[in-house]
Amino acid sequence: MAMEEGARSCLMRFRHRLEDDIKPSYLMDHMVSDGVLTADEEERIKNQPTRKDQAAALLALLLRKDNRAYISFYNAMVNEGYNDLANLLHRDLPHGLPEGHKRSTDCCTPYVQTVLSEGGVPQRPVVFVNRPELVNRVREKLYRLQKEPGWVTVFGMAGSGKSVLAAEAARHHGLIEECFPGGIHWLSIGQLDKPDLLVKIQSLCFRLEQSLDSQPLHRPPNSLDEAKERLRFLMLRRYPRSLLILDDIWDSSVLKAFDLHCRILLTTRNRSLADSVCGSRYEVEVESGLDENKGLEILALYTETKLQGLPEVARSIVRECKGSPLVVSLIGALLREKPDRWRYYLGQLQQKQFKRIRKSSSYDYDALDQAMAASIQVLPDERREFYKDLTVLEKDTKVPAKVLSVLWDLETEEVEDILEEFVNKSLLFVDSHNKPYLYYLHDLQLDFLVEQNHSQLQSLHNKVVHQYQQHYKDAHSTSGDEECLYWIRFLTYHMAKANLFQELYSLMFSLDWVSTKAQLMGPAYLINDYVEYGPILDKENSETRSQFQEFLSLNGHHLEQRPFPDVVQLALSQPRTSEVYRQALLQARDRATTGKLYFEWLNKSSVESLSRLVIHPHQGSIYSACFSQDGATIASSGASKTLKVFKSTSGEKLMEIQAHDDEVLCCAFSPDDRLLATCSSDRKVKVWNVERALLLRVFEEEHEEQVNHCQFTNAARRLLLATCSNDKFLNTKLWNLNKPSSQNTMFGHFEPVNHCCFSPDDTHLSTSSNDGTVKLFHVSSANEWKTINVSDAFAESDAEVLVKCSTWTADGKRIICAARNAALVFDVETSDMLLEIRTNRLSTVQYCHACPTSNLLAIAFSNYGVEQCVLQLWDLEANKKMADCSGHLSWVQRVQFSPDGSQLLSCSDDQTVRLWETNKVHTTSAVCLKRDSDVLFNDDEVVVSAADNCNRLQVRDGRTGSVLFQSEEKPSRIRCTCMCKRPSAVALGQEDGTVQVLEVPSGKLLATLLGHTKPVLHCRFSQSGQTLLTSSEDTTIRVWRWQSAECRVLQGHKEQVRCFSLLPDDAKLLSWSFDGTVKMWDVESGEQLQDIEAHRGAILSCRVSPDGSLFATTSADNTAKLWHCESWKCVHTLSGHQDCVRSCRFSWDSRRLATGDDNGEIRLWSVKEGCLLRICSRDGKDGMDSLHGGWVTDLHFSPDDALLVSTGGYIKWWDVETGEALQTFFTTGTALKRIHVSSDFSTFVTIDSIGILYILQRVV
């Protein structure tokens, strides 16, 4: 049958493009296998002098063939990675194939080939022998997945052909059509760590999304959690009836990442791996590789001989190969080239000259060793040296030819020819689904090479590093392709193996390297490098290694963001003594000469960064985090329903379990660290084997409400687990893990029990309840010993007292209880209250934990916006607060000291776990400022006034952080402040309406101004300093001659007046309010000059243009408006924002207006035309689902109007002409209210939500 006309015309239309790009020799292999091209036709095409001539000849031949040839050509291009060219042919694929052709052989239909090639399933090996019995057993198990998800495990010894078997089982038309119409998706795993696993899942998600009609998501997932959720969505929603094949799984923790309730086939050497996952499980064992007949069949295929024509010695060779397809293939490849050497190669196999240093229990290496040795021996000398170079590869690592072209200093095409020769001799494998091809060794081949070349390993790695340095000189590869990723991932590994320690120091102590590797691979790889090579680096400079590792640990969450942050800017926030800071400053100064923006945090030395490590393990609130007994690992759980375990040194994830069907409220290690217990809102208690991530026990019958807390005994000699729940009566239980039901139930509480805790000697259990009590029970008998009525400490209030938790001191003599806003210390023997630690009345103590080695108590708070620091350390003996630990941005749910007391762990609703070094916490860290502030810039001086967390007014030297003046604690909360140069004074407005003016620096009270009846929200001195203006929630504005207390009241607004502006001459005042009105006042007379209802919603900001001709208003009605100052008519209404427009600012030439909204978007408008000029760059939303980390609260133009600075969750600088972001400064806290800018746009001052003051100066 002739080719359809549409297909013919498509080939003709794209003929020249195909001739330019395709490599015919690769494509023809597939077409010969499909039977659409004869060997003679292939030979004639190969005889053409150039590749392009070969391509032209192939296309000319195709045009004379039928539809099957077109389809085969299309499938070959898909298989070889020519996806762009295959897409050109896809639309014209013939559809009218006769039935006989469609199912001529069930595994070779174009439909099957297309499905498998699109899913990345490997092709058959060059020489393929079918094993129908095993293949059918696998298919029979796969058919069981037709109606429900589950797992099919193909397991067997190394080199037994599991991967080929899995691919062949999927190569079946009926199976795909009936069971997996959503496709077959192949993923090679191998031995890998978590960062590699993330890359694997990212690539799979990308492949799946590319196959959909819809647009792929805008960025790859940044974390394993996110990647798993993305894959879960794709597999369950977009590919619900598809098969995922995971090839060569080694680790159950890796397998858990794919526990998605979908259909999975996996190959492994470990039969029990699938025990750790949920769902139906089936298995097929590949017992001993090939039987004798199959081995003979491979030899026959390699030597192009009929089975009956094989010499008798062939059987002996197969027997010596011990059933390994890999070994038989190696010998077959040798015999194909030297068909007269049957007895010679048998002798080689029988020599057993190689003795392994390490033997594998699951595999007899001898046959492979002889076959490998024989295969390498026949290589030409140069090729043999090239093959030896492959010894340096890491296991399960695939490399593109370009990496080896650098190593061998050859053209890539030359290298590809060498590698093709190795592949043909079965000395190497090729992954042809990637473009470019990726090459890899079987684990057993690599073992052989390492064994044979172990004395030369150092020099081989040395060669790799030398060739890389010669090729790339002083610059690293940054292209992001497969070659680049190999070098960035493994260069440190090769240096360490080559003992090139100086080169390793230079590389890893380089900020450029940190920036390059973090951008291409994420921060986890880098942190792991500093941990893995720490002993080597410490010999050069342990302090520098620690500085780089700390920088990465504290900024890892920033380095995962896209767009990628400026690493130099991040590093400028490091301590001045840090090598990281030193390098950043040099680079910043150098780049500043070309106009690049960088900002140095001048006063950072006054802020102690206490958290050693910040980890984002879960999406959603984290309710529990705990140390293992050895302090090496941390477990965490929370709203994401997962349990995670990671290293306490680097944050590297070790285990991840979808632990429960609802929020996981608590997790706890057993005293020997072998077990982890979890409890959940799903009313279940579970016990897990940590090493295998295996579920050992589920207790699901006895608790009828959510289980709030679980804890093991402190000693392992009589291991018990305690749990408590929201049950009314049977709410506290003790479990012996060897019994299916609880061992004891503690009776006594009739309200939910929030927490339970064993005494240090395990003789007693304390329980904390919503009934206002803590009860102590005998563990041995489960009888109540005594009750501590915590509610008695709050007798002044009738409200119920909920006791959140209790903790025992190390000596077991005192017990501390958390309730309301207090931590209360009781004597265990007498039940007397010894000490009361009270905090702000608006915060609740969520948790407390006593240090097992000192008198310290850690207290975790809820945060209602009053207490900025939500973690405190107290000395119980001195009854003194030792530190406020700033860092968390929301409620802290749990806090725990490490068993040796050296570290402190906290977890929060802000989705982070923070690790703190106890001995680095200082009392100086306890003072933080409120965000309502004022700043005076005077030459090089920066003076800041703000209230602190003790409600004292502070005036500070911004550059040094030193306190110039500090008032006594005020009885009413300070709401606003402003400063005056002459006279040198500071004013403050308070919650009760009082206004005070104090002399600076003496602190002398100059005036107390009474009149406002509600909180004072804004205050400002006139330019002369003689007049003070204030506005209030009482809807009025007051103009004070403050030295005489004379006052003029401006009344007219119906709602609070949050702010106002003085016009340049100080004679007029513009005010606006939540009532939607704007008013103009004569300051001297108090007369209202103008009054307009500007917006339907509350007015959020108002600015007057520098030339005084216009003013702008922004509102909660999502609009901004421009008004004429003379006529008070609306000139333009600016629409387009999708959220409240919170801030605005005119350019200094009055020609542009910038507006910012609550979605983080900034727009630039033409004042004259009222039209949108541009929207500042929208590179993607951040972790807070905003374009700016939150509301845009303030905006300022530079004097030349070329730059714009904005505040939101962080600070950003923009190019006004292009709208592109030029720089970002990430503050520790968020929710910046405003930024003060010096007149020359060189110094910037702000305070974040946790009270840290930032004085930033542009680097020049």
Side-chain angles (χ1 to χ4, degrees):
M1 185 180 78
M3 188 181 295
E4 287 181 8
E5 192 54 43
R8 277 182 57 78
S9 64
C10 182
L11 281 177
M12 294 293 291
R13 191 162 64 252
F14 298 115
R15 186 171 187 168
H16 292 301
R17 186 161 172 193
L18 291 166
E19 288 174 0
D20 287 339
D21 290 348
I22 64 173
K23 200 165 186 177
S25 58
Y26 292 164
L27 299 177
M28 290 190 294
D29 287 343
H30 301 283
M31 297 172 72
V32 171
S33 297
D34 290 348
V36 300
L37 210 65
T38 67
D40 288 342
E41 288 170 332
E42 180 186 27
E43 194 60 34
R44 282 200 301 274
I45 292 170
K46 280 185 173 179
N47 287 335
Q48 299 297 318
T50 66
R51 182 204 56 77
K52 191 166 183 178
D53 290 336
Q54 291 175 3
L58 175 59
L59 290 167
L61 180 62
L62 266 180
L63 289 166
R64 300 195 296 272
K65 289 186 174 283
D66 60 9
N67 287 341
R68 288 180 63 246
Y70 184 96
I71 292 170
S72 176
F73 180 62
Y74 166 79
N75 286 330
M77 283 203 295
V78 172
N79 276 316
E80 292 299 326
Y82 294 105
N83 294 325
D84 51 343
L85 295 177
N87 287 337
L88 299 177
L89 306 188
H90 184 268
R91 193 180 65 177
D92 294 296
L93 275 171
H95 298 292
L97 286 176
E99 194 62 33
H101 287 302
K102 283 184 181 174
R103 287 181 177 265
S104 53
T105 60
D106 208 27
C107 63
C108 292
T109 64
Y111 168 70
V112 170
Q113 292 189 18
T114 302
V115 169
L116 297 188
S117 62
E118 286 179 352
V121 179
Q123 304 157 28
R124 286 172 171 167
V126 177
V127 170
F128 169 73
V129 172
N130 198 6
R131 300 157 82 179
E133 184 183 344
L134 271 174
V135 169
N136 288 334
R137 281 169 58 196
V138 176
R139 284 180 184 158
E140 184 266 325
K141 305 296 185 190
L142 289 173
Y143 268 107
R144 299 191 187 187
L145 304 183
Q146 181 175 4
K147 293 183 179 178
E148 64 172 1
W151 305 76
V152 175
T153 303
V154 176
F155 66 95
M157 69 180 189
S160 60
K162 301 182 294 295
S163 302
V164 173
L165 184 63
E168 193 59 25
R171 197 172 275 112
H172 188 271
H173 191 114
L175 180 71
I176 297 172
E177 205 169 54
E178 295 171 39
C179 299
F180 311 116
I184 311 262
H185 311 290
W186 183 283
L187 196 61
S188 298
I189 303 295
Q191 288 179 289
L192 43 70
D193 52 22
K194 295 302 185 294
D196 285 316
L197 179 59
L198 173 59
V199 173
K200 293 273 187 187
I201 302 180
Q202 282 175 337
S203 65
L204 176 60
C205 290
F206 180 75
R207 191 201 310 164
L208 294 173
E209 288 167 346
Q210 289 290 93
S211 301
L212 296 171
D213 294 332
S214 60
Q215 288 291 316
L217 291 169
H218 67 281
R219 63 170 179 80
N222 285 333
S223 65
L224 204 51
D225 281 335
E226 190 182 344
K228 184 175 177 181
E229 285 305 308
R230 178 89 58 86
L231 183 58
R232 182 197 305 278
F233 171 79
L234 288 166
M235 295 301 290
L236 298 186
R237 301 289 181 84
R238 302 298 181 86
Y239 297 91
R241 293 186 62 204
S242 61
L243 178 67
L244 180 58
I245 302 180
L246 304 176
D247 184 39
D248 195 22
I249 294 279
W250 285 69
D251 189 347
S252 61
S253 65
V254 171
L255 192 60
K256 288 298 293 178
F258 299 94
D259 195 357
L260 309 170
H261 201 64
C262 60
R263 296 160 173 83
I264 291 180
L265 168 64
L266 66 104
T267 69
T268 180
R269 304 178 193 187
N270 183 349
R271 178 177 192 167
S272 64
L273 276 187
D275 292 346
S276 64
V277 294
C278 307
S280 304
R281 296 189 287 270
Y282 311 97
E283 55 185 43
V284 176
E285 182 176 5
V286 185
E287 291 175 349
S288 56
L290 303 170
D291 61 26
E292 187 172 284
N293 288 335
K294 292 299 176 187
L296 291 172
E297 195 177 331
I298 288 180
L299 293 179
L301 287 167
Y302 267 105
T303 56
E304 298 181 358
T305 309
K306 291 185 177 179
L307 270 175
Q308 299 84 342
L310 289 173
E312 186 57 35
V313 71
R315 292 186 181 278
S316 301
I317 285 176
V318 170
R319 282 195 290 272
E320 289 295 335
C321 290
K322 297 180 172 59
S324 167
L326 177 60
V327 179
V328 177
S329 295
L330 283 165
I331 297 299
L334 289 169
L335 289 167
R336 180 169 57 191
E337 293 189 2
K338 305 285 185 182
D340 56 345
R341 291 194 174 183
W342 290 88
R343 290 201 172 277
Y344 173 75
Y345 290 130
L346 174 62
Q348 292 281 300
L349 286 170
Q350 291 173 333
Q351 277 182 17
K352 304 194 187 305
Q353 66 191 78
F354 299 101
K355 295 297 177 187
R356 289 270 165 155
I357 295 171
R358 291 176 297 278
K359 288 279 185 180
S360 165
S361 60
S362 63
Y363 188 75
D364 184 346
Y365 278 105
D366 292 339
L368 174 73
D369 289 350
Q370 310 311 319
M372 285 287 293
S375 299
I376 294 169
Q377 191 175 355
V378 300
L379 292 172
D381 289 347
E382 185 186 35
R383 296 284 198 272
R384 204 177 305 145
E385 288 301 310
F386 286 153
Y387 194 70
K388 183 198 292 184
D389 286 337
L390 303 183
T391 307
V392 300
L393 297 180
E394 274 268 56
K395 280 190 177 180
D396 304 303
T397 299
K398 298 178 180 180
V399 296
K402 207 170 171 187
V403 167
L404 298 171
S405 76
V406 172
L407 178 58
W408 296 335
D409 198 18
L410 297 173
E411 292 297 324
T412 305
E413 291 77 10
E414 243 185 298
V415 172
E416 286 174 344
D417 291 341
I418 294 169
L419 298 178
E420 191 173 349
E421 181 182 341
F422 291 160
V423 170
N424 289 336
K425 293 181 184 297
S426 296
L427 287 168
L428 192 66
F429 294 86
V430 60
D431 179 354
S432 57
H433 288 297
N434 280 279
K435 193 80 181 295
Y437 289 174
L438 299 178
Y439 300 88
Y440 60 100
L441 291 165
H442 194 286
D443 289 356
L444 298 178
Q445 292 173 318
L446 190 56
D447 285 344
F448 174 83
L449 283 175
V450 171
E451 204 65 54
Q452 294 310 304
N453 302 310
H454 66 270
S455 63
Q456 302 173 57
L457 280 175
Q458 183 176 328
S459 62
L460 290 171
H461 283 282
N462 200 322
K463 176 182 176 182
V464 175
V465 176
H466 175 75
Q467 290 298 105
Y468 174 83
Q469 291 171 335
Q470 287 293 106
H471 187 82
Y472 284 103
K473 307 299 182 191
D474 296 326
H476 294 295
S477 172
T478 57
S479 61
D481 59 14
E482 291 285 353
E483 184 234 357
C484 160
L485 294 177
Y486 177 85
W487 290 119
I488 299 301
R489 173 74 180 90
F490 291 108
L491 186 56
T492 49
Y493 161 75
H494 291 304
M495 285 179 173
K497 291 291 185 182
N499 287 349
L500 294 173
F501 297 149
Q502 284 301 325
E503 286 84 349
L504 188 65
Y505 303 149
S506 298
L507 189 70
M508 294 189 66
F509 292 162
S510 159
L511 197 58
D512 286 335
W513 174 252
V514 166
S515 179
T516 298
K517 188 157 186 171
Q519 183 165 9
L520 292 169
M521 310 212 71
Y525 279 114
L526 271 165
I527 295 174
N528 284 337
D529 281 352
Y530 285 98
V531 173
E532 184 173 349
Y533 306 123
I536 298 172
L537 299 174
D538 284 350
K539 291 177 183 176
E540 173 70 9
N541 193 322
S542 62
E543 190 174 345
T544 300
R545 191 269 310 155
S546 175
Q547 289 164 355
F548 272 90
Q549 189 171 333
E550 182 171 326
F551 168 64
L552 288 166
S553 297
L554 296 178
N555 289 281
H557 53 300
H558 293 314
L559 295 173
E560 286 177 344
Q561 292 184 5
R562 294 298 179 269
F564 188 71
D566 190 320
V567 171
V568 171
Q569 181 60 67
L570 288 176
L572 284 171
S573 295
Q574 293 301 290
R576 293 180 186 277
T577 55
S578 168
E579 173 65 14
V580 179
Y581 167 78
R582 190 192 68 79
Q583 292 185 28
L585 186 60
L586 289 174
Q587 291 193 32
R589 286 173 174 167
D590 182 55
R591 296 179 191 179
T593 60
T594 65
K596 180 77 175 172
L597 291 180
Y598 285 101
F599 300 91
E600 191 176 357
W601 184 6
L602 296 182
N603 63 317
K604 64 189 170 192
S605 59
S606 64
V607 180
E608 189 77 31
S609 177
L610 303 178
S611 47
R612 183 178 65 77
L613 184 66
V614 183
I615 309 164
H616 288 242
H618 301 268
Q619 295 294 316
S621 299
I622 304 172
Y623 298 139
S624 181
C626 61
F627 281 106
S628 59
Q629 298 302 313
D630 61 9
T633 55
I634 295 166
S636 67
S637 61
S640 65
K641 309 175 188 176
T642 56
L643 169 69
K644 301 192 182 175
V645 179
F646 38 91
K647 290 182 181 178
S648 61
T649 51
S650 68
E652 178 195 351
K653 200 181 304 173
L654 302 174
M655 184 178 83
E656 179 180 349
I657 298 172
Q658 191 67 31
H660 287 268
D661 301 324
D662 209 334
E663 297 179 327
V664 185
L665 302 178
C666 185
C667 56
F669 278 99
S670 64
D672 60 5
D673 290 335
R674 294 172 59 191
L675 306 177
L676 261 171
T678 57
C679 60
S680 165
S681 298
D682 66 8
R683 305 184 298 280
K684 297 176 185 174
V685 178
K686 296 186 179 183
V687 180
W688 309 85
N689 178 296
V690 176
E691 186 178 355
R692 299 171 62 193
L694 181 66
L695 180 62
L696 300 179
R697 279 282 187 190
V698 181
F699 302 116
E700 55 185 331
E701 301 296 333
E702 299 193 34
H703 284 299
E704 296 180 356
E705 298 291 341
Q706 74 175 32
V707 187
N708 295 315
H709 194 77
C710 57
Q711 187 181 358
F712 283 102
T713 46
N714 297 296
R717 64 181 181 274
R718 185 168 175 266
L719 187 66
L720 293 173
L721 175 68
T723 62
C724 57
S725 73
N726 279 1
D727 291 300
K728 273 286 185 185
F729 306 109
L730 311 179
N731 41 35
T732 306
K733 294 178 180 289
L734 288 178
W735 309 83
N736 182 326
L737 302 188
N738 297 318
K739 297 180 179 180
S741 58
S742 61
Q743 175 167 302
N744 272 317
T745 299
M746 274 72 166
F747 295 96
H749 293 294
F750 300 104
E751 294 290 338
V753 178
N754 300 308
H755 182 269
C756 53
C757 181
F758 285 100
S759 61
D761 61 3
D762 292 332
T763 57
H764 296 103
L765 182 77
S766 65
T767 57
S768 308
S769 171
N770 284 358
D771 62 13
T773 69
V774 168
K775 291 183 180 289
L776 307 184
F777 294 89
H778 292 288
V779 172
S780 57
S781 64
N783 292 329
E784 182 181 332
W785 176 35
K786 61 177 58 182
T787 297
I788 299 173
N789 288 303
V790 179
S791 56
D792 290 349
F794 302 92
E796 74 280 0
S797 170
D798 294 332
E800 63 179 350
V801 175
L802 314 179
V803 186
K804 290 293 187 77
C805 76
S806 56
T807 178
W808 300 74
T809 55
D811 57 10
K813 295 180 178 179
R814 291 168 294 171
I815 191 165
I816 303 106
C817 313
R820 286 199 188 165
N821 63 329
L824 310 171
V825 185
F826 292 91
D827 183 285
V828 171
E829 201 61 43
T830 65
S831 300
D832 293 337
M833 187 167 73
L834 306 175
L835 179 64
E836 182 179 21
I837 300 172
R838 294 259 183 171
T839 65
N840 187 287
R841 62 185 176 81
L842 293 178
S843 286
T844 303
V845 177
Q846 295 289 100
Y847 203 83
C848 61
H849 188 243
C851 181
T853 58
S854 72
N855 292 316
L856 286 177
L857 175 71
I859 305 176
F861 296 97
S862 66
N863 184 354
Y864 287 100
V866 177
E867 289 285 345
Q868 295 163 317
C869 300
V870 286
L871 178 59
Q872 294 181 353
L873 290 187
W874 285 72
D875 186 315
L876 291 175
E877 290 301 313
N879 187 16
K880 180 182 178 183
K881 181 166 71 172
M882 301 305 295
D884 278 321
C885 301
S886 302
H888 282 299
L889 307 179
S890 188
W891 294 17
V892 176
Q893 297 287 359
R894 191 69 55 91
V895 62
Q896 186 192 28
F897 285 98
S898 60
D900 64 2
S902 66
Q903 297 184 92
L904 184 65
L905 184 66
S906 58
C907 63
S908 165
D909 284 352
D910 67 6
Q911 304 182 24
T912 67
V913 172
R914 286 180 179 260
L915 210 59
W916 317 76
E917 290 189 45
T918 311
N919 60 2
K920 279 192 176 181
V921 176
H922 304 293
T923 52
T924 53
S925 70
V927 175
C928 45
L929 300 177
K930 304 295 183 179
R931 289 170 295 168
D932 297 294
S933 59
D934 193 24
V935 175
L936 288 180
F937 296 99
N938 186 19
D939 297 327
D940 286 339
E941 281 188 337
V942 179
V943 181
V944 182
S945 70
D948 67 14
N949 56 329
C950 299
N951 205 40
R952 301 169 300 196
L953 184 70
Q954 289 197 9
V955 179
R956 291 190 184 186
D957 182 322
R959 292 182 180 276
T960 65
S962 60
V963 178
L964 303 176
F965 160 71
Q966 178 177 289
S967 74
E968 76 280 2
E969 185 176 335
K970 297 294 179 183
S972 181
R973 180 185 165 198
I974 301 171
R975 295 295 301 270
C976 60
T977 178
C978 65
M979 288 188 291
C980 178
K981 285 184 182 178
R982 291 184 184 83
S984 180
V986 61
L988 57 94
Q990 298 180 62
E991 188 93 24
D992 63 4
T994 303
V995 178
Q996 290 186 330
V997 183
L998 307 171
E999 187 178 60
V1000 176
S1002 69
K1004 178 183 176 183
L1005 180 63
L1006 300 178
T1008 298
L1009 309 174
L1010 303 175
H1012 284 299
T1013 58
K1014 288 187 178 180
V1016 182
L1017 302 177
H1018 186 58
C1019 58
R1020 181 177 170 181
F1021 283 101
S1022 63
Q1023 291 182 30
S1024 67
Q1026 302 304 308
T1027 302
L1028 176 67
L1029 300 99
T1030 58
S1031 66
S1032 167
E1033 272 187 26
D1034 65 10
T1035 75
T1036 69
I1037 302 160
R1038 290 180 175 256
V1039 182
W1040 309 85
R1041 299 289 185 188
W1042 61 269
Q1043 289 165 320
S1044 64
E1046 179 186 340
C1047 176
R1048 187 173 295 106
V1049 182
L1050 311 183
Q1051 288 182 306
H1053 285 294
K1054 296 176 181 175
E1055 290 194 41
Q1056 57 179 269
V1057 185
R1058 297 193 72 82
C1059 202
F1060 55 82
S1061 283
L1062 277 168
L1063 270 61
D1065 59 1
D1066 277 3
K1068 294 177 183 176
L1069 180 144
L1070 197 68
S1071 64
W1072 57 94
S1073 166
F1074 279 15
D1075 61 14
T1077 66
V1078 179
K1079 302 180 190 295
M1080 179 79 81
W1081 310 83
D1082 183 293
V1083 173
E1084 189 62 36
S1085 66
E1087 179 187 355
Q1088 182 177 301
L1089 303 176
Q1090 291 285 357
D1091 180 14
I1092 55 167
E1093 190 170 325
H1095 292 269
R1096 294 179 186 172
I1099 297 178
L1100 303 177
S1101 71
C1102 179
R1103 297 286 176 188
V1104 181
S1105 63
D1107 64 8
S1109 64
L1110 299 168
F1111 67 90
T1113 56
T1114 71
S1115 170
D1117 65 10
N1118 297 2
T1119 68
K1121 292 184 180 182
L1122 286 167
W1123 305 84
H1124 202 284
C1125 281
E1126 289 298 322
S1127 67
W1128 277 65
K1129 289 184 178 177
C1130 181
V1131 181
H1132 299 293
T1133 298
L1134 310 178
S1135 301
H1137 283 287
Q1138 302 300 307
D1139 215 326
C1140 298
V1141 188
R1142 189 158 296 274
S1143 56
C1144 66
R1145 183 79 64 168
F1146 282 95
S1147 59
W1148 289 101
D1149 62 9
S1150 300
R1151 294 169 59 187
R1152 297 184 185 92
L1153 179 74
T1155 55
D1157 70 21
D1158 286 1
N1159 190 39
E1161 184 177 273
I1162 297 169
R1163 293 179 171 235
L1164 293 169
W1165 309 84
S1166 165
V1167 170
K1168 183 178 179 181
E1169 307 295 335
C1171 62
L1172 179 67
L1173 296 175
R1174 66 193 51 83
I1175 300 173
C1176 286
S1177 178
R1178 291 190 270 189
D1179 292 321
K1181 293 193 174 184
D1182 53 34
M1184 297 181 69
D1185 198 36
S1186 165
L1187 297 161
H1188 206 311
W1191 302 348
V1192 179
T1193 53
D1194 204 1
L1195 298 155
H1196 289 266
F1197 282 91
S1198 61
D1200 61 1
D1201 291 331
L1203 304 175
L1204 178 73
V1205 65
S1206 60
T1207 55
Y1210 31 79
I1211 310 167
K1212 291 184 83 74
W1213 288 262
W1214 308 87
D1215 184 309
V1216 172
E1217 196 58 42
T1218 65
E1220 293 300 309
L1222 300 176
Q1223 192 53 271
T1224 302
F1225 184 91
F1226 292 99
T1227 51
T1228 306
T1230 58
L1232 308 176
K1233 274 193 174 181
R1234 64 176 300 190
I1235 190 163
H1236 305 271
V1237 182
S1238 64
S1239 59
D1240 61 357
F1241 209 68
S1242 66
T1243 309
F1244 305 83
V1245 182
T1246 192
I1247 299 171
D1248 68 16
S1249 59
I1250 57 175
I1252 298 176
L1253 171 67
Y1254 300 87
I1255 314 291
L1256 306 180
Q1257 186 166 56
R1258 183 171 176 178
V1259 175
V1260 294

